[in-house]
Amino acid sequence: MSEPTIHFDKVNKWYGNNFHVLRDIDLQVRPGERLVICGPSGSGKSTMIRCINALEDYQEGKLTVAGSLLGDDIKAIDAVRRQVGMVFQQFNLFPHLTVLENLTLSPTWVAGLSKKDAIERAMHQLERVRIAEQAQKYPLQLSGGQQQRVAIARALCLTPKIMLFDEPTSALDPEMIKEVLDVMMELANQGMTMLCVTHEMGFAKAVADRVIFMDQGQIVEENTPTEFFNHPQTDRAKDFLSKILGH
């Protein structure tokens, strides 16, 4: 068995003194594994994946990502962030920069690539998400689905080993959701380690190696998609699925 690329070991997090947002999280993710994380609103899903690239800190336990223990060490955090790409609900693109400029900013500033290499890499990633023809446009000239594909391409420009998606389709109109999920499915098929917080259960069935179900800051259930959807083990998971799948 390969070493886990992400390892939560009894991780706990509080907001303030009394809101216990993550409770004894134990989770190992192998390289190339694809996880879908689901659960009711406020169950800690987004907080958990935001800990992976140190956008959130934690108070107890240990979290190791790509061989680095995440804690107070700034060097370790930098090392992890170079290997972890993240795509959010909101696209977070700079409106005053073209699509291409949005994509070359980090590789030139953070990774020290030359302008020429950064442009080459950016165009390659835009082709990957099937949007290369929009390179000279500004984000607000694009549809929401196109902007989210640009955001995915931007995350890929730092050649991450791990991709985190935090409800990447929840801000999109229904007809745009499919184009973003299609791009994510292609990435999944290329062997990228992926953790995706989503309510898109069709995507979970098609792509996930494992489904993690969270409630009230805990991992309540984890299973293969087939088992999770057909034979949920807990009442909380059954209740959630009945609401989201309508049966």
Side-chain angles (χ1 to χ4, degrees), residues 116-135:
K116 178 175 168 290
D117 288 348
I119 288 171
E120 203 172 288
R121 186 183 286 184
M123 291 307 299
H124 171 65
Q125 300 303 351
L126 287 172
E127 277 161 25
R128 230 172 139 181
V129 301
R130 301 198 293 277
I131 205 166
E133 72 286 354
Q134 310 289 356

Side-chain angles (χ1 to χ4, degrees), residues 37 76 114 141 166 177 192 196-198 212 214 244:
I37 300 152
S114 70
Q141 294 175 285
D166 189 3
I177 289 174
M192 177 82 72
C196 183
V197 173
T198 185
I212 306 288
M214 290 183 72
I244 207 160

Side-chain angles (χ1 to χ4, degrees), residues 90-240:
Q90 304 303 333
F91 321 123
N92 299 346
L93 300 169
F94 292 110
H96 63 290
L97 300 179
T98 64
V99 164
L100 189 59
E101 287 165 344
N102 265 285
L103 265 66
T104 54
L105 197 62
S106 274
T108 48
W109 278 83
V110 179
L113 279 193
S114 70
K115 191 90 192 263
K116 178 175 168 290
D117 288 348
I119 288 171
E120 203 172 288
R121 186 183 286 184
M123 291 307 299
H124 171 65
Q125 300 303 351
L126 287 172
E127 277 161 25
R128 230 172 139 181
V129 301
R130 301 198 293 277
I131 205 166
E133 72 286 354
Q134 310 289 356
Q136 298 306 328
K137 287 194 176 166
Y138 289 90
L140 296 176
Q141 294 175 285
L142 306 180
S143 72
Q146 289 173 322
Q147 288 185 62
Q148 191 59 296
R149 279 151 61 195
V150 171
I152 292 171
R154 179 183 57 183
L156 292 170
C157 275
L158 288 171
T159 57
K161 291 190 168 73
I162 299 164
M163 281 288 278
L164 309 175
F165 294 91
D166 189 3
E167 303 205 23
T169 57
S170 65
L172 299 177
D173 294 334
E175 69 271 18
M176 292 173 189
I177 289 174
K178 184 179 181 304
E179 66 183 73
V180 172
L181 291 178
D182 285 349
V183 163
M184 290 168 63
M185 283 191 190
E186 279 179 30
L187 289 182
N189 293 335
Q190 291 163 13
M192 177 82 72
T193 306
M194 286 172 68
L195 285 83
C196 183
V197 173
T198 185
H199 290 312
E200 297 293 334
M201 294 298 129
F203 173 77
K205 287 176 185 172
V207 166
D209 297 310
R210 264 193 299 166
V211 175
I212 306 288
F213 175 70
M214 290 183 72
D215 192 26
Q216 296 179 341
Q218 293 174 301
I219 294 176
V220 178
E221 209 168 307
E222 55 180 291
N223 218 325
T224 62
T226 310
E227 282 301 306
F228 177 72
F229 290 111
N230 296 337
H231 310 289
Q233 304 295 305
T234 60
D235 290 341
R236 282 187 279 182
K238 286 174 191 159
D239 181 52
F240 173 78

